[in-house]
Amino acid sequence: MYNREDFVSNSDWKKFLEFSKNLETPNIVVNVNTVRKNFIKLRDSFPYARIYYAMKANPGEPVLKMLIEEGCCFDIASRYELDKILALGAKPDNLSYGNTIKKARDVKYFYEKGVRMFATDSKEDLKNIAEFAPKSRVYVRILVENSVTADWPLSRKFGCHPDMAYDLLVQARDMGLTPYGISFHVGSQQRDIGQWNDAIAKAKYLFNSLEEEEDIKLTMINMGGGFPASYIEPTNTLDVYASEITRYLQDDFGEDIPEIILEPGRSLVADAGILTSEVVLISRKNNTALSRWVYIDAGKFNGLIETLDESIKYPIVTEKDGGKESEVIIAGPTCDSMDIMYEDAKYKLPRDLKIGDKLYWLSTGAYTSTYASVEFNGFPPLKTYFM
């Protein structure tokens, strides 16, 4: 969990202020060394797992180059990500086409580029893989209900029922593909570690059923991401996640734990980024209103889309912190009424906050600049800098 006092006393905060002082707002600054530390900590916490970084979280070239140097693998969602990571020197053997929604011609493109590992969750997609990526390894993503305990749920759109997963893996074998394993995602910023226990149990059921009934021996579980970043809502430490998840695997598989793949995104890069915004306007809607409206030059369409429904609650720091505060409503600069980040969350900012002051949004290294619009209201895409 974020602690303001610990953060502002950190030497990295002072280095950031010096680095960013002359940059035009809004912008994001990402500390690549922090990403490196997060990667090493995750790797050390799960020494038996292979890490496939989810590029979509932050595809900045300095981040990707560093991860390639550290021996990281990559979860790829499109041919555009594929071209980028291959151009930076990644090996096709270290890539997975993890998107279950893909065109047949893109399956062919990945195969021609040397990728041999594909995710699926439907019959039609499996047919395309069999035709255009023959003899490849396939893993099936199963549905996991996580709408309550994950800050950014990933259920419903992706995955299939375990019964269908069973059928798909049998069909994969019959089509000449290699039934490789099961994947799931318990939801991004998942605070309930028990969700992994339920998902691993479903995977174990499929492992046993397919081996006993079809003589298909699966060898891999892709546990996706879900590990937390340091937002306002409290979470357990990564050490606790690793200890509990390892115990779940041992309870179900004993000493015969299959190959494990992790696909982190947020947990590697979020804490490495700080979004700097400038106060454009402060106003009240009537003479007796208790809450001020604080309008800034970044918003839902320019980096802060995960404030949708106030799902992700970012820590916010100002250079006037420490004095009297009052409740505010924080909104973006565009002429769209949904461009309001926080209204119900009851954020408090300094009473002496003025136009031109800066708000620093912490833990914004993931799913920010990549979500920014191209030209809504003419505003340019959010700029990202790396230090």
Side-chain angles (χ1 to χ4, degrees):
M1 179 181 176
Y2 157 75
N3 181 289
R4 184 189 185 280
E5 287 69 29
D6 290 345
F7 180 82
V8 296
S9 64
N10 191 305
S11 61
D12 284 345
W13 170 243
K14 297 175 176 61
K15 292 177 183 177
F16 158 77
L17 290 176
E18 179 64 25
F19 179 90
S20 66
K21 63 182 179 181
N22 295 320
L23 299 178
E24 183 179 358
T25 64
N27 66 71
I28 289 180
V29 174
V30 175
N31 188 325
V32 178
N33 193 48
T34 299
V35 183
R36 187 192 303 273
K37 290 178 181 177
N38 290 342
F39 173 78
I40 292 172
K41 185 175 183 180
L42 183 65
R43 183 177 62 191
D44 292 346
S45 298
F46 292 91
Y48 51 83
R50 285 197 297 159
I51 299 174
Y52 282 68
Y53 172 60
M55 274 185 66
K56 57 184 177 290
N58 188 320
E61 289 192 8
V63 170
L64 300 178
K65 287 179 179 178
M66 179 276 295
L67 290 173
I68 291 172
E69 292 171 2
E70 290 291 342
C72 187
C73 300
F74 297 88
D75 168 49
I76 311 298
S78 72
R79 63 191 301 166
Y80 311 104
E81 287 186 343
L82 176 64
D83 288 343
K84 184 171 189 175
I85 200 66
L86 289 177
L88 293 176
K91 300 294 189 292
D93 287 346
N94 293 332
L95 307 180
S96 167
Y97 197 172
N99 194 347
T100 61
I101 305 166
K102 48 192 178 288
K103 298 175 181 178
R105 59 178 175 270
D106 289 340
V107 172
K108 181 180 180 182
Y109 187 83
F110 269 69
Y111 186 78
E112 291 173 345
K113 293 292 184 179
V115 176
R116 294 295 183 269
M117 185 161 68
F118 297 81
T120 191
D121 64 3
S122 65
K123 294 179 181 179
E124 293 304 314
D125 181 61
L126 184 64
K127 290 178 182 178
N128 287 335
I129 296 171
E131 181 175 357
F132 296 106
K135 299 182 180 180
S136 293
R137 293 173 294 169
V138 294
Y139 58 96
V140 177
R141 180 164 174 172
I142 58 174
L143 280 169
V144 177
E145 181 53 51
N146 52 59
S147 60
V148 176
T149 54
D151 289 350
W152 197 260
L154 293 169
S155 57
R156 297 184 62 236
K157 182 178 179 181
F158 305 103
C160 62
H161 189 278
D163 288 348
M164 177 174 279
Y166 180 103
D167 292 340
L168 289 174
L169 288 161
V170 172
Q171 292 173 28
R173 177 200 60 189
D174 295 344
M175 292 176 175
L177 296 166
T178 300
Y180 184 32
I182 300 296
S183 76
F184 58 79
H185 200 302
V186 297
S188 194
Q189 194 70 7
Q190 176 58 260
R191 287 177 281 115
D192 178 11
I193 306 178
Q195 294 293 320
W196 275 271
N197 191 24
D198 295 342
I200 290 169
K202 291 180 180 178
K204 174 61 173 176
Y205 162 77
L206 285 165
F207 269 61
N208 288 348
S209 298
L210 284 161
E211 185 169 12
E212 292 171 3
E213 300 170 15
E214 295 289 342
D215 198 27
I216 293 175
K217 185 172 177 59
L218 302 179
T219 58
M220 185 275 288
I221 297 178
N222 182 331
M223 298 197 298
F227 306 115
S230 298
Y231 301 125
I232 288 179
E233 297 289 338
T235 67
N236 286 296
T237 63
L238 180 62
D239 292 341
V240 175
Y241 278 77
S243 175
E244 289 296 290
I245 291 169
T246 300
R247 181 171 64 84
Y248 300 151
L249 287 167
Q250 291 171 341
D251 286 347
D252 279 329
F253 289 93
E255 296 182 358
D256 192 24
I257 294 177
E259 177 186 351
I260 300 297
I261 286 176
L262 305 177
E263 291 180 347
R266 187 185 306 278
S267 63
L268 293 190
V269 295
D271 295 347
I274 299 176
L275 186 155
T276 303
S277 62
E278 182 180 317
V279 176
V280 177
L281 179 68
I282 301 175
S283 69
R284 298 180 190 271
K285 295 302 183 183
N286 62 62
N287 292 330
T288 59
L290 296 177
S291 295
R292 295 166 293 161
W293 283 72
V294 176
Y295 300 93
I296 64 172
D297 58 0
K300 283 184 176 173
F301 302 100
N302 208 13
L304 296 171
I305 188 60
E306 288 199 325
T307 63
L308 188 69
D309 297 327
E310 305 191 15
S311 297
I312 300 297
K313 297 178 177 62
Y314 297 104
I316 299 174
V317 171
T318 82
E319 292 174 278
K320 293 182 175 179
D321 288 356
K324 293 183 177 180
E325 299 179 329
S326 61
E327 287 184 3
V328 296
I329 299 168
I330 308 176
T334 66
C335 55
D336 191 303
S337 60
M338 73 168 286
D339 194 10
I340 301 171
M341 283 76 82
Y342 301 121
E343 184 170 6
D344 298 325
K346 309 301 181 185
Y347 270 67
K348 291 184 178 181
L349 290 176
R351 289 185 182 179
D352 59 349
L353 194 71
K354 303 294 183 184
I355 292 172
D357 287 344
K358 292 179 178 179
L359 300 188
Y360 300 100
W361 299 66
L362 310 185
S363 298
T364 46
Y367 304 110
T368 44
S369 57
T370 53
Y371 268 139
S373 67
V374 175
E375 199 178 358
F376 185 50
N377 277 168
F379 292 112
L382 190 64
K383 292 183 179 179
T384 303
Y385 301 88
F386 298 89
M387 59 176 284

